[in-house]
Amino acid sequence: MNAPTQHPPAVRTTCAYCGVGCGVLAKPDGRGGAAITGDPEHPANFGRLCSKGSALGETLALDTRLLHPMRRGADSAMARTSWDDALDTVANGFADVIAKHGPDSVAFYLSGQLLTEDYYVANKLMKGFVGSANVDTNSRLCMASSVAGHRRAFGSDTVPGTYADLDQADLIVLVGSNAAWCHPVLYQRIIANKRARGATIVVIDPRRTASVEDDDLHLPVAPGMDTVLFSGLLVHLADTLALDDAYLEAHTTGLTEALVRAREIAPDIAATAAMTGVDAADIARFFALFRATERVVTCYSQGVNQSAQGTDKVNAIINCHLSTGRIGRPGMGPFSLTGQPNAMGGREVGGLANQLAAHMGFDAEAIDRVGRFWRAPNMARREGLKAVQLFEAIDRGEIKALWIMATNPAVSLPRADVVQEALRKLDLLVISENVISNDTVAAGAHVLLPAAAWGEKDGTVTNSERRISRQRAFLPLPGEAKPDWWSVAQVAQRMGFGDAFAYHSAAQVFREHAALSAFENDGRRDFDIGALADLSDEAFNALDPVQWPARAGKPATDTRFFADGHFFTPDGRARLIAPAMPALHEAPSPAFPLLLNTGRVRDQWHTMTRSGLSPRLGAHLPEPFVELHPDDAAAAGLKDGGFARITTTHGACILKVIVSAGQRRGSLFAPIHWSGETAATARVGALVAPVTDPFSGQPEAKATPAAIARVDYALRGFVLSRQPLTLSGDDWWARVAVRNGAGLLIASDEPASAWRGRAATLFGDGVELAEYLDAPRQSFRAAAFENGRLIGCLFVGPAEATPTWDAVKTLFEADALPDRQRRAVLSGRSTDGVADTGPIVCACFGVGLTSIRDAIESAAAISVDDIGRHLRAGTNCGSCLPELRKIVAGAKVGETV
Ligand SMILES: Nc1nc2c(c(=O)[nH]1)N[C@H]1C(S)=C(S)[C@@H](COP(=O)(O)OP(=O)(O)OC[C@H]3O[C@@H](n4cnc5c(=O)[nH]c(N)nc54)[C@H](O)[C@@H]3O)O[C@H]1N2
Ligand SMILES: Nc1nc2c(c(=O)[nH]1)N[C@H]1C(S)=C(S)[C@@H](COP(=O)(O)OP(=O)(O)OC[C@H]3O[C@@H](n4cnc5c(=O)[nH]c(N)nc54)[C@H](O)[C@@H]3O)O[C@H]1N2
Ligand code: SF4
Ligand SMILES: [Mo]
């Protein structure tokens, strides 16, 4: 019947990952997979994809998926159940708790990875029908400070600019944004502007990241001190008569207070330099550049938002744009880069506990308006609990029933171990998930609901430039998976709210959401997509990417906001805000002398439930690590490639050490991606303090006082197996995706002889083991064969002579091995000349550092372009170009990189 067609049509959809919101063409292969390419017609990427987007096809397998509803039995074990039973359990469970303890004893915890339609239905159920505003989202950990800053300055949560501004700017300031790794396609657009038009780039980040090229100005600001820098800039602009007095007079209020405060915080360049730790000459250069350049875009992300002073940082930045009138015109403006694919959609529906719906707050007029529109019997009348407070209330037993959708809080919230324990206290924990296990599921759900995943979902997402794009299904729903909006609507119906939740399609939900945005709006609210409220199902299916505002009856002309100088405050004027004097929430102490900064790496996404499935992505930075400055490493006796225990008041981790001069002295950087599922001891969120910004409630994730100490393991090595394996005991391990199997990188204090005993247990009885033990040298190698097929490898050796796995991995990944290769496995080399390419730099073509260095040393390549011609590295998605440039530059000055 449904035989795979030879040339199935490509489906236009949107990338599963970041807020750039790239258009993707997915061509199903008829066997559950798909070929993925960039959509040349999508205005966010014009056909480009980064390494993560390009590898989406490697993440579609169903092995780790939750495919059926599950319910916890009397014996505490999870067992498969019917949708009917699962939905009844959720509906009755919530109704019981509400009846006994009131509406504020229940909560939803949502995510910027939900579709707008999922988000809308969940928000409506809680805020209009349950009668509580306890709906918060992982956007609280992500964009909340930008939202609060926008609302203080503009009276609305508006991102004024568009991506085209990045093509037209002459100065682009990246503040707390590692866009080269986190918004790669946008970063390539910035670099294209630099190359073509000579735009200048300034990067403000305590670390020298991949986003800093040699000729860029890098200001290694002391953690948390951005407000000082931008206060100093405001003072400089005022003192050098660079303010736009006419604009300030016509369109703003608050300059005097903001400037008086800025002078208190940062009276001059010397004071700014002293507090930020940045060289005074570099600060002067930045100030002069900003002053002299009309077309400036200031992009900011988590180095700004995720901070105990995040909202003030946002306003300190916006103050500089408002006071120079550089907003709402081509090539200029403050630009908050959103993280998740639908961070913006979540804000549009009101997914945050302090928003109601459609960019309306909890004023009486808005409550009345939304209540009438929804015909809601039970409107929430005040703000609900924000994420960190919400989980504290769970820990205290005040919240008794929680529904988590599309987020993994037992990894991603501060004090993640405490969060994981708190979840166990709930009377009812419902989790809607794509995967059958993660650290949150491991906390013990009562009901698990299988959700449609990327590739199966159907609805809309909004990117950083307010552009709404369709995510379209190109694969059938597997097992009994269902869209998230469907499960919420089903539960609502079972709670007695059938009329308001009789949805049968995403299109129907979208139309209602669009109608609410326009309801009694008349231009008073920024968010208005009334023009889309009457889309037919066909038109919704065919919808091209569209930017808001899209007001009914108004042509979509210039999509920048504030070009007319009108803002959404009561008096229509923008507000300059006086920030507080910034201070670290907790200064380093003798016990915890360093500051732990946490963030992202190029090829992993959050808790790795999707990106962790791709062998290509796993090759770039395969192990959880901590990066620190050579001086701090020397003081702690740490060596590059060794291990260290990082400790804070809240928890501890053991991570691989990377020593890098790009780190600021006194700072540690550790990625957030590894969890209890993917590593032995790398739950970095467990170390983070639960401190929040006073306005946004967003947690500080970049500056927790920490200590570091060396850890030595006697042996190091790796395991490759066809089935995923876990190690018990005190061994250190990290899981890595490999083709046709699973990999573990390991470190251990058990002697080689003990590993010989473990090999048989690891690979199972009845396999044929080829072994090699050199006890005096502490080296053991085993290859396991089943019917002549290589099914496992275990290599351990002394830490000074760690066996590398590249050649063995290549042999293992090949499905059928010729005899001579089979014999060669234990040598750790291939006889076919499969060279050890070294750590992977280019994920698209699997090109490693050794190959690149060889090409440079043999003079075959002297530039990044040559490397592309000889090895293809960097010629597909371009995500590795920043690293290639560093390697070439390093080789030129004879450095090792
Ligand atoms: N590869 C990849 N890309 C992603 C994601 C991912 O998981 N992986 N996640 C997406 C999501 S949800 C988000 S929110 C974005 C985040 O994107 P980014 O915000 O760019 O990423 P982060 O690495 O969290 O932090 C950015 C930088 O802030 C710096 N920083 C720390 N403290 C300070 C400070 O006090 N001041 C300043 N100026 N800088 C500071 C850090 O050193 C870091 O380099 O990325 C999105 N894109
Ligand atoms: N220390 C520290 N902590 C941080 C950060 C940091 O920089 N430092 N960054 C913060 C930020 S900005 C963010 S955005 C968060 C991200 O943190 P999380 O949201 O916790 O991380 P994810 O791995 O993206 O979790 C998404 C989960 O939802 C599932 N999922 C994906 N799509 C769907 C879907 O459509 N439906 C359903 N039901 N499930 C789905 C996935 O399988 C996965 O388990 O982490 C935050 N935490
Ligand atoms: S930049 Fe990369 S991760 Fe982000 S949307 Fe585009 S392809 Fe996806
Ligand atoms: Mo985020």
Side-chain angles (χ1 to χ4, degrees), residues 293-314:
T293 316
E294 175 81 347
R295 292 184 168 214
V296 187
V297 176
T298 308
C299 300
Y300 51 94
S301 192
Q302 299 315 344
V304 168
N305 292 338
Q306 272 169 359
S307 143
Q309 323 79 18
T311 307
D312 274 353
K313 287 185 181 181
V314 170

Side-chain angles (χ1 to χ4, degrees), residues 516-546:
L516 174 56
S517 76
F519 185 59
E520 299 174 3
N521 187 326
D522 304 320
R524 281 179 297 167
R525 303 193 302 272
D526 65 334
F527 178 63
D528 185 343
I529 53 169
L532 308 175
D534 298 320
L535 289 183
S536 64
D537 287 0
E538 294 71 33
F540 180 74
N541 284 340
L543 186 67
D544 282 329
V546 48

